[in-house]
Amino acid sequence: MSANKLNVFHWHITDSHSFPLMLPSEPDLAAKGSYGNEMLYSPADVATIVRFGLEHGVRVLPEIDSPAHTGSWAEAYPDIVSCANMFWWPAESEWADRLASEPGTGQLNPLNPNTYHVLKNVIGDVVALFPESFYHAGGDEIIPGCWKADPTIQSFLSENGTLSQLLEKFVNSTLPYIVSLNRTVVYWEDILLDADVKVDPSFLPPEKTILQTWNNGPNNTKLIVSSGYRAIVSSSEFYYLDCGHGGFVGNDSQYDPPPTSGNSGNGGSWCEPFKTWQTIYNYDIAYGLTPAETKLVLGGEVALWSEQADPAVLDMRIWPRASAMAETLWSGNRDESGKKRYAEAMDRLNEWRHRMVNKGIRAEPLQPLWCIKNPGMCNTAHPFD
């Protein structure tokens, strides 16, 4: 990251699948909710990672996603997690009635006081472990069906309560505490922009809140900054590095489309196709923004979600595509005349990829070696712009 001039590592540490972070105040979360004793991060591990990052100019931003993506918490605290360990999309039900957007159910129950006892212990420990001034609190993909499956929430809804009020209660019980620990809170954009479950902006003070966008490209960035919030841009249409490798859900009919011309389906990958370096390079994260709005964009972030990524494929999934983003964010993707620089960028990225390989980074190849040995011969003379 340092060599590529990337300076923030956003670490999405926990999820419904596993809680691998050992915390002094809540040891059972990792002891019972991780994949096992060999797949844990101790406080000493975290200190090593944070120190290594700072030595190389890279901030380590922790994310403890909640209230959704918390199924793993139920192994230690089943009373605070709604719809835990249920089948994610019951047979014959509509997509709108699913319990999660992928296998691995569970959302913290905002009505249970013990939820906040546990969560504040978690937040306090994480803040102590990470000196970073931002704390990513998640807030994405709250699935109505999961909360509706909980008897206490059913009772709340039957008395004219709403799911958005549940989320507002959750935010109002946690955001002030995070702020009291001298942290700025980062949320995924869903907390403000979701169609079904979202909070009123009055619960999200712009001076203490940053929103990270991952849907609808420049449109959602515009909605965030025009509302006065700072933005981190990780639009899935351009910056999700895990896309295009198929889905991990089995028994999925999306794998079996009719073999008609031009219809190969998406192979179960919700965000296909694969995001090429050109797609990443040509994205302007300030597109359509006024100069004042552009100042609220803190930067961009490529994301490699790890449902289908582990150390065996890590380097090639990230590099050199992340290098392409780094150049555009530091140097822009246009020359002095305003013309896109993607043509000349190919030669730079190709050479840079070989330099990374020589350093032991297993970056993905962009061109045959023949192209480096024959400069210009791998270009096209017919640009489409």
Side-chain angles (χ1 to χ4, degrees):
M1 289 182 65
S2 180
N4 280 273
K5 297 186 177 181
L6 295 172
N7 58 7
V8 181
F9 169 45
H10 169 186
W11 191 3
H12 181 94
I13 309 175
T14 65
D15 212 293
S16 278
H17 301 137
S18 175
F19 195 108
L21 183 63
M22 299 171 63
L23 297 175
S25 298
E26 294 292 347
D28 282 351
L29 286 172
K32 298 180 179 180
S34 70
Y35 282 133
N37 292 334
E38 300 301 315
M39 303 187 78
L40 295 171
Y41 296 106
S42 70
D45 293 329
V46 172
T48 298
I49 292 166
V50 169
R51 182 174 62 252
F52 186 82
L54 292 177
E55 289 172 351
H56 291 79
V58 177
R59 298 158 52 189
V60 181
L61 166 61
E63 178 186 356
I64 303 295
D65 202 353
S66 65
H69 292 277
T70 52
S72 59
W73 301 44
E75 301 304 314
Y77 294 103
D79 61 310
I80 69 172
V81 182
S82 302
C83 87
N85 299 312
M86 298 177 69
F87 193 76
W88 70 291
W89 187 9
E92 309 304 328
S93 64
E94 298 293 330
W95 175 248
D97 297 323
R98 68 195 184 281
L99 301 181
S101 289
E102 67 176 28
T105 59
Q107 297 179 174
L108 296 181
N109 184 344
L111 298 178
N112 189 330
N114 197 37
T115 295
Y116 305 108
H117 173 76
V118 174
L119 186 54
K120 287 181 178 180
N121 284 341
V122 169
I123 293 168
D125 281 354
V126 171
V127 166
L129 288 171
F130 292 87
E132 165 61 36
S133 61
F134 294 172
Y135 178 97
H136 204 308
D140 64 316
E141 293 190 309
I142 295 170
I143 307 303
C146 180
W147 271 349
K148 289 178 179 179
D150 188 289
T152 61
I153 293 176
Q154 290 173 9
S155 178
F156 172 80
L157 297 176
S158 70
E159 296 175 359
N160 297 319
T162 68
L163 296 179
S164 290
Q165 287 173 341
L166 278 177
L167 181 58
E168 288 175 345
K169 175 178 175 58
F170 183 86
V171 169
N172 204 37
S173 299
T174 52
L175 185 149
Y177 178 68
I178 301 170
V179 170
S180 76
L181 299 175
N182 198 30
R183 294 295 186 268
T184 297
V185 187
V186 184
Y187 289 111
W188 293 103
E189 64 183 2
D190 311 39
I191 206 157
L192 184 70
L193 302 181
D194 187 81
D196 299 313
V197 188
K198 58 187 175 183
V199 305
D200 187 274
S202 62
F203 289 86
L204 302 172
E207 67 276 11
K208 292 295 183 181
T209 307
I210 297 166
L211 297 179
Q212 183 166 0
T213 177
W214 62 286
N215 288 304
N216 299 324
N219 295 329
N220 278 14
T221 304
K222 179 79 171 182
L223 288 173
I224 290 168
V225 297
S226 64
S227 298
Y229 293 97
R230 288 165 288 174
I232 298 169
V233 178
S234 53
S235 306
S236 59
E237 303 95 322
F238 301 91
Y239 280 175
Y240 270 28
L241 303 182
D242 52 307
C243 299
H245 292 278
F248 75 95
V249 177
N251 192 33
D252 189 343
S253 61
Q254 293 184 82
Y255 296 130
D256 187 31
T260 54
S261 176
N263 178 22
S264 60
N266 65 6
S269 174
W270 71 272
C271 58
E272 59 87 33
F274 178 89
K275 312 307 175 190
T276 66
W277 79 261
Q278 292 95 334
T279 297
I280 293 168
Y281 192 89
N282 286 322
Y283 186 37
D284 179 1
I285 65 172
Y287 180 81
L289 304 183
T290 67
E293 291 170 341
T294 299
K295 291 180 180 179
L296 292 175
V297 177
L298 300 183
E301 176 184 303
V302 287
L304 179 64
W305 300 101
S306 59
E307 288 94 339
Q308 295 168 290
D310 64 13
V313 301
L314 183 69
D315 279 356
M316 64 191 75
R317 294 277 173 92
I318 296 176
W319 311 111
R321 291 187 292 165
S323 310
M325 182 197 69
E327 176 171 301
T328 65
L329 296 187
W330 281 108
S331 305
N333 57 12
R334 297 179 184 273
D335 62 20
E336 293 180 355
S337 69
K339 184 179 179 180
K340 284 281 183 73
R341 295 191 290 131
Y342 60 85
E344 61 179 271
M346 169 64 89
D347 293 336
R348 282 196 302 280
L349 279 173
N350 203 17
E351 181 178 346
W352 179 243
R353 180 260 169 181
H354 282 277
R355 291 184 183 184
M356 287 195 288
V357 170
N358 287 337
K359 293 181 178 181
I361 299 169
R362 294 176 294 178
E364 186 177 51
L366 299 180
Q367 289 183 317
L369 184 59
W370 185 86
C371 297
I372 289 182
K373 297 174 69 68
N374 294 271
M377 292 294 283
C378 288
N379 293 340
T380 172
H382 306 280
F384 289 98
D385 60 348

